[in-house]
């Protein structure tokens, strides 16, 4: 399954500044965890950020092991710092 | 109170406190509390020159709307208004404004404070702080370290 | 902090929240909290039509200035602004406004709330509430019952 | 000793609406209490308000038994209700 992953703040920096990265997921059941592993494989900077971020799935926070479907809007979020 | 009036906004426009005060005006309200978050000139002992605010905009808008509803569900408020600014802000500019109105003052103070605490740990907004060491050529930036509310799914 | 900037006012002029926000603006402040006390349309289940505010003016001015100093002594604020209005106010009009600014938000929230609590029990201001039973001819007034802070001399 | 006493709110109403009442105090040491007794003697409505108010002496709250001097600014204050 191919998914676009939206990246912000430190995660975007870790992906060489790209706001959207397309990943190919080969797991039988693709999850947020699969996305993270795919990003780590491509961008080593993601390794040191492991466990820091959260998964957003269709504009909602969801557990990192949530199953993903084609067409889902997927994003990885660094700890938020608004205000 | 589900009848509370709610207003939220996220965007690059300069924040107008009068607009938030107008949004929460209510004949049954005896109290209004308005909080403004402002870009200040220092952080960790260093001189801040500006802050770039960015967001996962569609999700941030949705969570701001959810936040306003949660405030109205938790506190006896007549109205809630929340505005967060995006883009590059100079020292002294407001990045966020939250106003609530209520019959008695305790609810407005508590609702506004709860709202800003919750906003800071749930709404996907990030800030890139620019520092200066006093020489005009220098510009160093770092992401302000953030926090997730403990109840968000991991 | 003794270096905090203080502004107080007592008089019949309409309260301008923007003036208080401008008075507490400070490059070192990351937070501003503004409280407005507003004439509301009901009290004890009856319809309020207006409130007349009166004061022992020279003493009230002195105690407002003392209050601003006490706020600055108790909380790490950059600035404090307090305005109380006098005269006849319609429903929806602000009778009092208090703004504080501080580096971090806890101090501004706590300072503003302490200030309004203290103002209400120390500054010699009284309010005469006018009621209506809905018929245009009716007008009944009563002094709103007040309170003295427990530490005032008896 | 003759003193002007400033009255506000309910105390002014109790003095038939007068904002200032001049009282003649005959006590050897005149106090806020002497003032209150003089007002009670002239305006019976002050009796039901006994113990409710506070003394202001030269723009400060002072105990009701404070000694008063000629020229002092003396006021009786009902419980305050600003805000």
């Amino acid at each position: 399954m191919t998914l676009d992953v939206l990246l912000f703040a430190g995660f975007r920096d870790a992906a060489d500044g790209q706001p959207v990265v397309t990943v190919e997921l080969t797991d039988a059941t693709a999850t947020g965890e699969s996305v993270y592993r795919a990003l780590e494989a491509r961008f080593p900077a993601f390794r040191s950020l492991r466990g820091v971020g959260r998964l957003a799935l269709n504009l909602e926070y969801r557990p990192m092991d949530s199953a993903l479907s084609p067409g889902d809007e997927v994003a990885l979020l660094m700890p938020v710092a608004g205000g | 109170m589900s009848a509370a009036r709610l207003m939220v906004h996220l965007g690059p426009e300069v924040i107008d406190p009068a607009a938030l005060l107008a949004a929460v005006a209510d004949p049954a309200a005896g109290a209004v509390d308005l909080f403004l978050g402002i870009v200040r000139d220092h952080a960790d002992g260093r001189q801040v020159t500006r802050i770039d605010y960015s967001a996962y905009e569609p999700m941030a808008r949705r969570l701001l709307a959810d936040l306003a509803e949660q405030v109205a569900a938790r506190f006896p408020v007549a109205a809630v208004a929340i505005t967060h600014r995006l883009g590059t802000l100079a020292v002294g500019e407001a990045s966020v404004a939250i106003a609530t109105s209520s019959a008695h003052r305790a609810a407005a103070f508590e609702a506004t404070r709860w709202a800003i605490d919750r906003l800071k740990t749930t709404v996907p907004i990030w800030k890139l702080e620019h520092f200066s060491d006093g020489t005009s050529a220098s510009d160093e930036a770092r992401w302000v370290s953030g926090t997730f509310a403990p109840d968000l799914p991991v």
Side-chain angles (χ1 to χ4, degrees), chain B residues 5-10 13-26 29 31-37 64 68 78-85 94-102 112 115-116 119:
Chain B
R5 283 175 300 112
L6 312 178
M7 187 277 271
V8 301
H9 179 74
L10 177 73
E13 299 81 8
V14 170
I15 290 177
D16 177 12
L20 281 100
L21 295 176
V24 300
D26 192 293
V32 168
D33 192 50
L34 168 72
F35 172 80
L36 298 177
L64 286 173
V80 180
I82 307 176
T83 296
H84 203 298
R85 192 170 163 194
S95 54
V96 62
I98 301 179
T100 64
S101 59
S102 56
T112 301
I116 183 62
L119 183 154

Side-chain angles (χ1 to χ4, degrees), chain A residues 23-43:
Chain A
V23 293
E24 178 65 37
L25 305 175
T26 54
D27 298 3
T29 303
T31 66
E33 186 55 36
S34 319
V35 167
Y36 205 92
R37 279 198 305 272
L39 290 165
E40 278 181 327
R42 242 164 92 187
F43 306 105

Side-chain angles (χ1 to χ4, degrees), chain A residues 34-66:
Chain A
S34 319
V35 167
Y36 205 92
R37 279 198 305 272
L39 290 165
E40 278 181 327
R42 242 164 92 187
F43 306 105
F46 273 81
R47 287 179 206 150
S48 63
L49 297 172
R50 176 162 275 279
V52 169
R54 298 291 166 90
L55 174 69
L57 179 53
N58 299 323
L59 309 184
E60 289 181 3
Y61 288 104
R62 284 295 170 80
M64 196 61 88
D65 60 2
S66 301

Side-chain angles (χ1 to χ4, degrees), chain B residues 1 3 26-27 35 37 45-46 50-51 54 56 60-61 65 67 72 75 78 85 89 92 95 113 120 131 137 148 150:
Chain B
M1 297 194 300
D26 192 293
F35 172 80
R46 301 176 69 191
R50 64 185 193 275
I51 298 182
S54 58
Y56 179 13
R61 267 191 200 95
L67 177 59
F75 301 93
R85 192 170 163 194
L89 275 70
S95 54
R113 190 163 184 180
K120 283 175 171 271
F131 297 100
F148 287 120

Side-chain angles (χ1 to χ4, degrees), chain B residues 4 6 37 41-42 46 48 55 60 78 81 94 106 115 117-118 128:
Chain B
L6 312 178
D41 63 5
H42 64 283
R46 301 176 69 191
V48 173
D117 289 349
R118 189 77 186 159
L128 186 65

